[in-house]
Amino acid sequence: MDTGKSGTILIIEDEKKISDIVELYLKREGFVTRTAGTGEEAMRRFNEPFDLIILDLMLPDISGEELCSAIRETSDAPIIMLTAKSGEEDRIRGLGLGADDYVVKPFSPRELVARVKAQLRRTKKGTRRVLSFNQGFLTMDTDNHEVKKKGVPAVLTPTEFRILMILADKPGRVFSRLQLINMVQGYDFEGYDRTVDAHIKNLRQKIEDDQRNPLFIKTVYGVGYKFTGILDED
Ligand code: CA
């Protein structure tokens, strides 16, 4: 059992009973925990480094959605949202805002701890130099910017490579076109929708077999794009 260095987790939840039990289960697994009972309190903590953030969508002062966006301005730590809303639209909206996973209340603390561990494993893998997906169908060398499709180098522009890395670093997370262009270019500009769409189209031509039925970059209608490749185990 790994203890001590599992990571530091911020729990943003106004219901003390829930916050306490989540803390208890995480501490038992060796995590260091910090808690915030209001959005405002959470805001004051965002300059501290966290490995993961658990965020209740329904807070008394600031909405979970707003907080999620605020966290994403400064931190790339995985966010797991807690919510009583189970609708698929809310789920997609939550993930579109930058949450990595979603747990619907009432939840089992054991289940939440499992999701926390899964997110942290994923984050660690994201820093590995060579990433391989779908049994080697697609590989990415993050250091020398080399992408291969079935072992054959695919020549990507720097922007295409950046977009692919952003998406592949968080499989399953939906990124809006605006988020992607902000992360790639660092500023807004006119016509970003079509610009992103054009880059995605080119990327698909280079890495997919069937562009109308993509394995790796899927369109989430009305929201944006997500990466759906399956990371190979070592
Ligand atoms: Ca609440």
Side-chain angles (χ1 to χ4, degrees), residues 188-218:
D188 296 8
F189 62 91
E190 295 285 323
Y192 62 83
D193 280 14
R194 273 172 294 132
T195 309
V196 172
D197 291 346
H199 287 310
I200 296 284
K201 191 174 171 225
N202 292 336
L203 256 175
R204 281 180 177 152
Q205 271 168 2
K206 293 172 183 180
I207 65 168
E208 303 278 1
D209 265 351
D210 181 357
Q211 290 167 57
R212 278 170 306 176
N213 191 15
L215 270 181
F216 299 104
I217 302 176
K218 293 230 161 92

Side-chain angles (χ1 to χ4, degrees), residues 4-10 23 26-27 30-34 50:
K5 288 194 175 135
S6 303
T8 304
I9 298 176
L10 175 64
E23 230 192 333
L26 287 171
K27 277 184 175 163
F31 292 102
V32 174
T33 55
R34 302 275 181 269
F50 293 106

Side-chain angles (χ1 to χ4, degrees), residues 48-95:
E48 298 171 32
F50 293 106
D51 296 295
L52 186 140
I53 296 166
I54 294 171
L55 171 62
D56 177 28
L57 193 62
M58 306 288 268
L59 293 164
D61 53 344
I62 305 171
S63 80
E65 285 101 330
E66 266 178 79
L67 270 184
C68 198
S69 305
I71 294 166
R72 277 291 166 259
E73 280 169 24
T74 55
S75 167
D76 204 33
I79 300 171
I80 299 179
M81 273 201 173
L82 303 179
T83 179
K85 301 178 185 173
S86 62
E88 187 64 15
E89 262 177 54
D90 287 323
R91 180 184 161 82
I92 288 176
R93 205 153 61 97
L95 296 177

Side-chain angles (χ1 to χ4, degrees), residues 12-15 18 56-60 82 105:
I12 308 168
E13 165 67 81
D14 60 310
E15 278 170 83
I18 294 179
D56 177 28
L57 193 62
M58 306 288 268
L59 293 164
L82 303 179
K105 290 178 181 175

